[in-house]
Amino acid sequence: GQQLNQSPQSMFIQEGEDVSMNCTSSSIFNTWLWYKQDPGEGPVLLIALYKAGELTSNGRLTAQFGITRKDSFLNISASIPSDVGIYFCAGHNNNDMRFGAGTRLTVKP
Amino acid sequence: DTGVSQDPRHKITKRGQNVTFRCDPISEHNRLYWYRQTLGQGPEFLTYFQNEAQLEKSRLLSDRFSAERPKGSFSTLEIQRTEQGDSAMYLCASGRWGIQETQYFGPGTRLLVL
């Protein structure tokens, strides 16, 4: 099973609001990844983080690799309806990748 | 489209039957991973290949499961004597080994065992 604690499990927000979700681990990871998954599809990579303390943006998305290498967060600014989906964090070391259980995001127009 | 393709996208089978899934990774990627995902959970690692060599298998991968990557390109995942508990989404991901490795997922094969 998952060894990453991802929160919150679900969020219901109004279009235009900002969103924040995070992931913590008892283990250190060399890489943190954030994916989005739509129903019936595979996860799509949003942001990859490779260095502790790194802050990376991809459009309205911003993610940070925690200094302790045991956590990461993802922010979405000015949410839009197409942001709906399940967001997964993943910690990666060499051949080992572990996923959180996901944050289900609902955006009300 | 990530460039990783999987076939079939959906499979319905009866308990006890064998099923085989195929994954075609991004061509320049030397690593290929298989994951299983059940409803409400993130993907769980099953096994991975570097080129044609299968380097690691999860304890989730029972004896009824076998994976191959004969020429270091596409891979197949076979489940023999399927059980209802095998119903899940089976995801394939590919990546290039080295610094800053990232995994790109295919669309998945959803298996339903009746």
Side-chain angles (χ1 to χ4, degrees), chain B residues 14 27 31 34 45 47 53 59 78 82 89-90 100 102 113:
Chain B
K14 291 184 179 177
S27 58
R31 283 201 169 177
W34 285 100
F45 170 78
T47 188
R59 56 185 169 79
E78 181 183 16
T82 52
M89 172 83 95
Y90 290 84
Q100 299 191 350
T102 302
V113 182

Side-chain angles (χ1 to χ4, degrees), chain A residues 13 28 36 58 69:
Chain A
I13 61 169
I28 289 173
K36 178 176 182 264
N58 177 9
R69 295 166 63 194

Side-chain angles (χ1 to χ4, degrees), chain B:
Chain B
D1 183 0
T2 62
V4 180
S5 61
Q6 291 187 246
D7 184 70
R9 294 291 308 275
H10 305 275
K11 179 72 177 177
I12 300 174
T13 191
K14 291 184 179 177
R15 191 173 50 188
Q17 298 293 305
N18 299 343
V19 294
T20 300
F21 309 140
R22 175 176 170 130
C23 172
D24 285 89
I26 295 169
S27 58
E28 60 265 30
H29 285 179
N30 56 4
R31 283 201 169 177
L32 188 150
Y33 300 79
W34 285 100
Y35 291 84
R36 182 174 71 186
Q37 185 179 27
T38 53
L39 205 61
Q41 299 295 318
E44 293 179 294
F45 170 78
L46 292 179
T47 188
Y48 91 98
F49 293 82
Q50 181 154 319
N51 299 312
E52 64 274 11
Q54 188 173 14
L55 296 187
E56 188 169 335
K57 291 193 284 189
S58 160
R59 56 185 169 79
L60 292 175
L61 211 65
S62 77
D63 291 345
R64 297 183 297 104
F65 288 69
S66 62
E68 294 182 346
R69 193 182 184 198
K71 297 181 181 177
S73 56
F74 73 91
S75 174
T76 57
L77 178 69
E78 181 183 16
I79 309 174
Q80 296 182 325
R81 304 182 303 282
T82 52
E83 301 173 356
Q84 287 184 322
D86 296 333
S87 296
M89 172 83 95
Y90 290 84
L91 292 162
C92 170
S94 77
R96 185 164 37 206
W97 180 82
I99 299 171
Q100 299 191 350
E101 182 185 345
T102 302
Q103 295 184 21
Y104 297 89
F105 283 85
T109 294
R110 182 168 293 284
L111 173 67
L112 178 60
V113 182
L114 300 175

Side-chain angles (χ1 to χ4, degrees), chain A residues 2-109:
Chain A
Q2 279 86 27
Q3 296 184 5
L4 303 186
N5 298 309
Q6 186 172 349
S7 65
Q9 283 188 332
S10 60
M11 301 183 75
F12 295 83
I13 61 169
Q14 207 70 37
E15 182 178 359
E17 288 183 353
D18 298 343
V19 171
S20 185
M21 59 192 80
N22 70 80
C23 211
T24 60
S25 168
S26 56
S27 306
I28 289 173
F29 288 102
N30 295 325
T31 301
W32 281 92
L33 305 164
W34 285 92
Y35 290 88
K36 178 176 182 264
Q37 187 173 28
D38 292 328
E41 301 293 330
V44 174
L45 181 67
L46 299 174
I47 292 181
L49 302 157
Y50 300 108
K51 193 187 299 186
E54 179 182 357
L55 185 72
T56 296
S57 293
N58 177 9
R60 292 179 297 106
L61 278 60
T62 302
Q64 184 156 31
F65 190 145
I67 287 290
T68 65
R69 295 166 63 194
K70 292 184 178 181
D71 63 307
S72 177
F73 72 75
L74 174 71
N75 286 344
I76 305 173
S77 63
S79 58
I80 59 178
S82 62
D83 291 334
V84 163
I86 303 177
Y87 292 79
F88 290 100
C89 61
H92 188 216
N93 284 330
N94 299 317
N95 52 303
D96 181 25
M97 190 147 91
R98 308 296 173 101
F99 284 80
T103 295
R104 181 180 294 273
L105 179 64
T106 302
V107 180
K108 291 178 278 189

